[in-house]
Amino acid sequence: MDPVTPLAVGPGLARPHRWLCDHPRSLDAMVSAGVLVLILIGAVASPRVPDQPLGPLFVLLAVLAAGSLVFRRERPCGVLVFNVGLTLVEIITNDVGPPRTSIVFGVVVALYTVAARTDRPTTWRLGAATAVLVTGAGMLFGLNPWYSQENWGLFAWTGLAAAAGDAVRSRRAFIAAIEERAVRAERTREEEARRRVAEERLRIARELHDVVAHHIALVNVQAGVASHVMDNRPDQAKEALAHVRQASRSALDELRATVGLLRQYGDPAAPTEPAPGLAVLDQLVDGFVRAGMRVEVRAEPPEALSPLPGSVDLTAYRIVQEALTNVHKHAGPGATAQVRIARVRDALDVTVEDDGAGARTVGPGGPEGTDDRGGPGEETGGGGHGLLGMRERVTALRGSCEAGPRPEGGFRVRVRLPLQLRSGGDS
């Protein structure tokens, strides 16, 4: 019969089993030969036909019935109909004495194959039809009386074949469903792992961009001031170099804290400093003031800087940091920037705008005196990712971000961050 998916195969049987699975036609030939032997033995050993030789018609029918089973995989229904026809011929003709019902073994194997390889409705329709035909023929033309054991045996064998084949098919479907769910679960875990890795890379990239863009911009300006006044005002040059040293030290500290997140288990302990937030906004503003910018900070109400959800606090700090860095880089150190932070119902509004009146630097995309921060998407010219990073941070918290030039001159960045975070936004 059809091989059932094995749960375990011993070492000694592994190689023959694998060979049979790779050569199903050979397995069917072995099944066919076994069925022929069973038919002949059953015909000879029957107590109802003692001492009667096998007739040539019965032998021919037995050989045809068993031989047709070689093709049971390709044409299961056709082989079943063929075997049912041969069985009816043997029961009705009775070439030598009473019918030899052992020929029904060919029908049993064929019906089992149909049940194992088709669906349940087809199995029960064909199974019922086969049982009625074979059993009815036996009762009408077979052994007397009509309720003899051999006639009911035909019904039992056909019913058993249909039930066994259906059980095997159900088991195979169950195992296939389990394997499919396992594969799908593994694929889902891999996709989730890749998504988390991508999100973590993006978050770290944002952190690195914010740290480097802010502090390096300050270092660049202070180094330019030191170079300009080195000969005429060495005291001011010394102060500028001190600011360079402080800004570079701060950059190194933040880079060490960020890169420490990438350490593996067992590496030296990563820094445990808390992430920056609006509580240290005065330190951030002080660095720009020392670089020559005029920065005004207003909190409405004053408790707007009170403890906030961690992700909102960090995002608001990074927004102000990036916006002031852009003001310093594009509008010039002489510009005036205003930072307004306000609580509006269940949201935090952060606005950073400048008057664009500083000694503007030469931007990569325009001549001196041109503010090259670009439109609403990102910086133009140098292909920076500051404004784009802002939008990604705000979008991650389901907030809104507007950035663009002011009608009266300068640039404005306005962000609204919801305080009621969903799906784990506070991290």
Side-chain angles (χ1 to χ4, degrees):
M1 294 185 181
D2 276 0
V4 178
T5 304
L7 298 179
V9 178
L13 300 177
R15 186 172 299 176
H17 178 270
R18 189 181 302 113
W19 185 87
L20 290 175
C21 292
D22 294 338
H23 301 80
R25 182 72 73 183
S26 300
L27 177 60
D28 290 339
M30 296 171 60
V31 171
S32 176
V35 169
L36 178 60
V37 172
L38 288 177
I39 293 175
L40 296 178
I41 292 177
V44 173
S46 175
R48 291 299 187 99
V49 287
D51 303 326
Q52 289 187 6
L54 298 178
L57 178 59
F58 176 81
V59 175
L60 176 62
L61 294 176
V63 172
L64 291 176
S68 66
L69 298 178
V70 176
F71 308 99
R72 65 194 179 98
R73 295 178 189 269
E74 292 82 358
R75 299 179 178 276
C77 294
V79 171
L80 174 62
V81 172
F82 182 73
N83 273 270
V84 170
L86 296 178
T87 302
L88 294 178
V89 170
E90 166 60 22
I91 294 176
I92 295 173
T93 56
N94 300 333
D95 60 329
V96 178
R100 303 178 187 271
T101 56
S102 62
I103 198 173
V104 79
F105 285 125
V107 175
V108 170
V109 175
L111 182 56
Y112 166 86
T113 304
V114 169
R117 302 180 71 84
T118 60
D119 54 84
R120 178 165 293 172
T122 302
T123 297
W124 291 114
R125 284 197 300 267
L126 293 180
T130 300
V132 170
L133 285 175
V134 174
T135 306
M139 291 179 176
L140 293 175
F141 304 98
L143 297 173
N144 292 319
W146 64 269
Y147 52 84
S148 65
Q149 181 179 354
E150 286 79 1
N151 293 335
W152 286 111
L154 296 174
F155 180 83
W157 277 110
T158 52
L160 179 63
D166 184 71
V168 169
R169 181 196 53 78
S170 299
R171 180 175 179 273
R172 288 176 179 171
F174 176 73
I175 294 176
I178 292 178
E179 293 176 349
E180 182 182 359
R181 285 196 297 268
V183 171
R184 189 185 305 115
E186 183 65 24
R187 187 183 303 115
T188 302
R189 283 195 295 269
E190 293 175 356
E191 292 174 354
E192 178 67 13
R194 286 194 294 267
R195 185 186 66 82
R196 290 182 179 274
V197 168
E199 290 180 352
E200 185 66 11
R201 286 175 177 172
L202 180 60
R203 189 184 68 80
I204 294 175
R206 290 172 182 164
E207 294 292 329
L208 291 176
H209 170 270
D210 292 340
V211 171
V212 173
H214 166 61
H215 290 290
I216 297 303
L218 294 181
V219 167
N220 178 58
V221 172
Q222 295 294 345
V225 172
S227 176
H228 182 69
V229 302
M230 180 66 71
D231 297 331
N232 300 328
R233 288 176 286 180
D235 292 340
Q236 188 175 352
K238 184 176 181 181
E239 181 180 355
L241 291 176
H243 291 162
V244 169
R245 181 179 181 184
Q246 182 177 357
S248 60
R249 183 185 299 114
S250 298
L252 288 175
D253 291 341
E254 291 199 37
L255 284 174
R256 187 179 299 112
T258 302
V259 175
L261 299 174
L262 303 177
R263 296 178 184 270
Q264 300 294 327
Y265 178 79
D267 288 349
T272 57
E273 293 85 354
L278 295 180
V280 294
L281 184 61
D282 55 344
Q283 301 178 15
L284 174 68
V285 172
D286 186 59
F288 286 101
V289 171
R290 289 197 302 268
M293 277 181 55
R294 294 185 295 275
V295 182
E296 300 176 4
V297 179
R298 287 191 298 172
E300 303 171 358
E303 59 269 16
L305 302 183
S306 61
L308 299 168
S311 56
V312 174
D313 198 20
L314 174 61
T315 299
Y317 177 87
R318 293 303 189 195
I319 294 296
V320 175
Q321 182 186 51
E322 179 63 30
L324 292 179
T325 300
N326 285 342
V327 172
H328 190 279
K329 185 163 52 175
H330 299 292
T336 298
Q338 293 183 346
V339 179
R340 295 194 300 274
I341 302 174
R343 283 180 182 263
V344 182
R345 293 187 294 273
D346 293 331
L348 183 72
D349 282 352
V350 179
T351 304
V352 181
E353 56 187 15
D354 65 270
D355 56 8
R360 299 169 186 166
T361 59
V362 179
E368 183 175 359
T370 300
D371 189 339
D372 68 341
R373 276 172 282 188
E378 57 183 308
E379 299 93 339
T380 59
H385 299 278
L387 295 182
L388 180 60
M390 285 187 193
R391 293 181 182 278
E392 291 177 346
R393 283 182 176 275
V394 173
T395 301
L397 297 182
R398 303 179 183 272
S400 61
C401 176
E402 300 176 3
R406 303 168 60 200
E408 62 271 22
F411 203 82
R412 176 186 293 119
V413 175
R414 178 178 296 164
V415 168
R416 170 163 289 193
L417 301 173
L419 299 179
Q420 299 296 331
L421 300 180
R422 289 174 290 177
S423 58
D426 190 1
S427 57

